[in-house]
Each structure stands twice: as C-alpha cells, then as structure tokens.
Amino acid sequence: MSSSSSARSQPLYTQNQDAAIIKTADRAILSKLSCVEYGYYNDPFVRPMSSRGCSSSEENVHKRPSRSISSSIMEPIIRRGTHARVKAIDSAIQSFLSLNLQNDTRQIIVLGSGRDTTYLRYRFGHYAPESAGFVRWYEVDHPSVICQKAYDWLPGCIPKGYDYERAAVTHDMEDTSNTPESYVISINKRHDESDAKDHKSSYHLVGHDLRHSPSHLFDRLLLHPQHKYDKSVPTLIILECVVMYLPDEQSRELLKYLTENIKSAQGNDSFVAVAMYDTVPGNDRFGNVMIQNLHQAGIVNTRRKKGSDEDEDNQILSLEATPTVSDQLNKFIQCGFDVAVGCDMMDAYNHGVIHTDDVRHAAKCEMLDELEEFNLLMKHYCFVVSVKSTTKDSVGFNLCSIGEDSLIGFQARYCTALNTS
C-alpha cells in the first residue's frame, strides 16, 4: 500500500487515546511483576523495568523483592493468566531459537514491546538454546515508549559489572530537530572483551507507531546499516496483546507486508513466523464486557459496525473483526501465510502448549478459588502461530507442527490448523 493510501485510511486518535494505549505497557509489567513476586516464574528484570529509580546493582536486580503495593492488588486469576501468557510466548521463542537452520543467523522482532524483558532474560542466559546462533533482536513501539526504555527503564536493569551503551540512530536526515527514532543497545561485561565477542546477539530499539504503514518501519530497518535487518533471514514476529488495539485494516496491511516481503537467498531457509497472543471476545456477554472495559478505559474509539460506509469500516478494531480463534486463523491465511495453527488459552493451558510442570508449579504458588471465572477468562484469549516460507520443506513449518512431536505443544484435539493447500 502506498504511503498516501495509508494516510487516507489512517484512523484519527486523540492524545488521550494514544496515552491510554501506551499505558497498557505499565499494566502488563505490573501483572508480570505480581507473578514474579508470587513465585510463578523467575524474571529478575521485571522489578527494575517497572521502576524508573531502581539501582542497577546486581544485588538489587537479582534479590527476591518484597511484594509491592502496586502489584499486590492483582487478582489471582490475573496472575495465573499472565503466567500462561509468558509461558506461551516463551515456548514460541525457545522453539524458534532451537531450530536447526542452514544459516545460524536469525531475527526476532517484538512489535508493541513496551516494557518487555524477554531480551534481557535471553541475554543473561535465562533461556538460550546452544544452537541459537546469532540473533538480531528488535523491539518496536511508539517513539515515546522507546525513548523512555532506552533512557529510563533499561539502564536500571543492567547487572553490576556490565556496561550499558546506547547509540542513537536518526533516520530522517532532513529533520532539523535531529530527534533519534531508534537505538542500538550494547550490554557488555566490563573489562572483558571476550563477553562482547562471545555473546551472539545485537539489540535494537525502534520507535514506530504500528498504525502507520509497515513499509515505513521495515524500510528504515533495511536501509540503515546499524540495524542490518535482512529479508532473507528466518524471522520470528512477536505480537503480544498488540493486534487487538489496531484497526483491522492496519493489522491486515502489516501481516500482508510480512508475507509479501520475504527474500529467497542461497544458503538460507527463508521464512517469517508470527507468534500472537491476543483476545477473542467471541459473541457472548463476557466478551462484550471486555470490549466495554476498553471503551471505558479510553483505549478504543466508539465501536464501528460492519456494513457501514467504507471509511467507518476501516476503523473496525481487530478484536471486533476477529472475535473467534477461527476468525484469527482465517485472517492469517487471507494475508498470505502458508499455515496457521492456534487454540484458546484454556486449551493451551490444559493440553500441551503450557508445560505440565509449569501448570503444576502455578498451582503451588497460590490457591485459585475462581476456577470457573479463570476458565471463562482463558477461553477469551488465544495463542496463534503462523508461518510463511519461500520453500515447501522449510524447517520453519515445524513451529506449526501438531501432536506428540510438536515443538510448541499444539495437540490435534485441542487446536485448529489452516493452510493454503
């Protein structure tokens, strides 16, 4: 889609709506903080990421924190659901990193990253398969969020003995304000040159409004030598509670761009995969309440209905246009993906995607009395993985495998799969 066409269909958002959407990053990190404090999983970077003024010492980063007032108000079902969300995304990333590729270089792009700490967990060895090779890791979010992360949030997360450096990248050379739009981040062990050489990753923070044309984002990644993005390198896109906030037209434009811009290269198994955790409000009262809550929070515009004129139809939010798991899968196939597989989060939790050991551990962390409500909540979220490749025998399709040998854990009776054949 041309930039002019994108501009015509661009939805009008008020500053208050922008602020409300950006604030979702704060709510997400507080939910994860509450999980960590209750022992659901280990992430030493969540607490400093949720606080601007945190010390960067290793002792403060890695000690077990006391429960904070802000995170202790989270309900048990929110903690249990957040834990499942983290484990589902972790499963996709770990599976991608474990793939045996012809060329060991791969790319991970976290869209709408907010205060995400996954790269830090990867960088400091919390999960990193030996076969991962070199990883280019990109985080993309609203420019104001990226600026805060680079200057305020990340520095407090760095353990003692490591140096944190940020190299600002200005993409628009004609911009007289010279405001950086992205950063290349270096985290290296102090006085140890071997750490920088041996750690096989690069880390990029990129400011971009996902409601704008995806070509604008990827052109910048491709053209700027510091980012080194490569269309022929196997790439995993992470969409964690992101698509739900985008107009359906803009989200489809993004997905189509991904499938239409893979480049074949000799020696590379070229593919793009997407792992998405998102809402499926369905057509029931619970789903309607979810949407109403987003309206009341000022996150979404007044609900638009299909069948109205074209301009209004472009404003339909993704969570309203794809209310079921089947709708989500169909959307990926319509946008050019070869295969898409997914399930609601209750099936993910009970049948394979979330490992049995993690489910048992969560049950030991605290009692959950609201089992019926938890079941209802989880059925209104989904986990979907889709793949587009330049070859029919791509190793990337293993991410969508189903059954006992499924990399991610999808089971035949408890998931749905669609493909183009």
Side-chain angles (χ1 to χ4, degrees):
M1 180 179 291
S2 68
S3 58
S4 60
S5 175
S6 176
R8 284 195 300 270
S9 63
Q10 180 66 23
L12 296 177
Y13 281 71
T14 66
Q15 288 185 343
N16 287 339
Q17 286 166 332
D18 275 345
I21 293 172
I22 293 170
K23 269 291 185 184
T24 60
D26 297 341
R27 286 190 285 273
I29 197 67
L30 286 178
S31 296
K32 292 177 180 179
L33 173 60
S34 189
C35 274
V36 170
E37 291 177 340
Y38 275 78
Y40 279 84
Y41 71 102
N42 179 38
D43 184 345
F45 308 103
V46 163
R47 174 170 283 276
M49 185 63 76
S50 65
S51 173
R52 287 186 181 182
C54 183
S55 168
S56 61
S57 71
E58 187 174 39
E59 291 78 13
N60 281 343
V61 170
H62 292 282
K63 73 180 182 180
R64 182 179 177 87
S66 59
R67 292 177 182 171
S68 67
I69 296 175
S70 59
S71 66
S72 63
I73 61 174
M74 298 290 174
E75 297 178 3
I77 61 170
I78 299 300
R79 281 189 286 273
R80 191 70 62 91
T82 299
H83 174 246
R85 165 182 174 172
V86 170
K87 290 300 178 180
I89 295 297
D90 278 359
S91 178
I93 294 176
Q94 289 171 325
S95 297
F96 175 71
L97 293 174
S98 71
L99 292 175
N100 185 17
L101 301 177
Q102 294 171 315
N103 184 330
D104 262 354
T105 300
R106 64 199 77 198
Q107 299 168 151
I108 294 176
I109 305 177
V110 184
L111 297 178
S113 57
R115 296 177 184 252
D116 187 69
T117 60
T118 311
Y119 174 76
L120 294 174
R121 289 191 288 138
Y122 168 76
R123 171 65 179 86
F124 292 100
H126 287 261
Y127 67 87
E130 292 296 327
S131 61
F134 187 85
V135 181
R136 299 189 194 107
W137 199 297
Y138 305 86
E139 292 184 1
V140 179
D141 210 318
H142 193 280
S144 64
V145 173
I146 290 300
C147 183
Q148 281 187 285
K149 190 162 193 175
Y151 283 90
D152 298 335
W153 303 338
L154 269 176
C157 297
I158 309 305
K160 184 179 180 180
Y162 285 81
D163 288 323
Y164 171 84
E165 298 179 5
R166 61 180 170 265
V169 178
T170 302
H171 297 273
D172 186 356
M173 303 307 295
E174 297 180 358
D175 184 359
T176 56
S177 67
N178 205 34
T179 302
E181 295 178 336
S182 63
Y183 306 85
V184 178
I185 304 297
S186 299
I187 304 171
N188 298 315
K189 201 163 188 177
R190 197 169 299 148
H191 310 306
D192 186 354
E193 294 181 1
S194 64
D195 177 76
K197 183 173 64 176
D198 294 340
H199 189 75
K200 300 177 181 179
S201 70
S202 61
Y203 186 32
H204 311 253
L205 301 182
V206 183
H208 174 76
D209 189 329
L210 292 175
R211 295 166 300 187
H212 294 166
S213 171
S215 62
H216 176 63
L217 166 63
F218 286 95
D219 284 351
R220 289 160 55 198
L221 296 182
L222 285 163
L223 296 175
H224 204 288
Q226 287 183 264
H227 289 314
K228 299 180 180 180
Y229 180 75
D230 188 338
K231 289 182 178 182
S232 69
V233 170
T235 301
L236 174 66
I237 309 292
I238 301 296
L239 291 167
E240 185 181 344
C241 276
V242 172
V243 177
M244 61 183 288
Y245 300 120
L246 296 178
D248 188 56
E249 186 70 17
Q250 270 66 43
S251 67
R252 288 177 182 272
E253 183 182 359
L254 170 62
L255 295 177
K256 288 177 181 176
Y257 181 91
L258 295 175
T259 60
E260 293 170 358
N261 286 274
I262 306 173
K263 181 181 178 181
S264 299
Q266 187 174 4
N268 259 356
D269 181 358
S270 303
F271 68 87
V272 61
V274 173
M276 183 187 75
Y277 173 93
D278 217 282
T279 56
V280 279
N283 300 299
D284 58 16
R285 182 176 179 277
F286 190 91
N288 288 332
V289 171
M290 291 176 69
I291 295 174
Q292 290 170 11
N293 289 340
L294 292 177
H295 292 312
Q296 292 172 2
I299 293 174
V300 301
N301 286 313
T302 302
R303 183 169 184 169
R304 308 280 187 167
K305 294 184 179 295
K306 292 183 178 180
S308 57
D309 61 59
E310 182 179 354
D311 287 338
E312 286 193 331
D313 192 52
N314 285 337
Q315 304 294 316
I316 295 173
L317 286 177
S318 291
L319 83 163
E320 297 171 302
T322 52
T324 68
V325 176
S326 294
D327 291 330
Q328 296 278 15
L329 297 175
N330 275 305
K331 179 175 179 176
F332 278 96
I333 298 301
Q334 291 165 5
C335 291
F337 284 87
D338 296 317
V339 60
V341 59
C343 58
D344 68 53
M345 281 303 296
M346 196 70 252
D347 282 335
Y349 197 75
N350 288 332
H351 304 290
V353 174
I354 311 303
H355 197 279
T356 303
D357 290 344
D358 291 319
V359 174
R360 290 172 178 168
H361 176 74
K364 294 177 181 178
C365 290
E366 63 181 324
M367 292 286 292
L368 186 63
D369 295 327
E370 308 93 340
L371 290 176
E372 186 175 343
E373 187 176 354
F374 176 67
N375 180 75
L376 191 59
L377 177 68
M378 295 287 275
K379 282 186 174 295
H380 285 80
Y381 284 87
C382 71
F383 181 59
V384 172
V385 177
S386 60
V387 174
K388 172 70 175 182
S389 177
T390 57
T391 61
K392 293 183 179 180
D393 57 351
S394 171
V395 69
F397 291 127
N398 292 338
L399 296 173
C400 291
S401 59
I402 299 172
E404 293 183 2
D405 297 327
S406 172
L407 279 181
I408 291 179
F410 290 113
Q411 300 303 311
R413 292 178 56 192
Y414 304 102
C415 70
T416 302
L418 295 179
N419 56 61
T420 54
S421 60

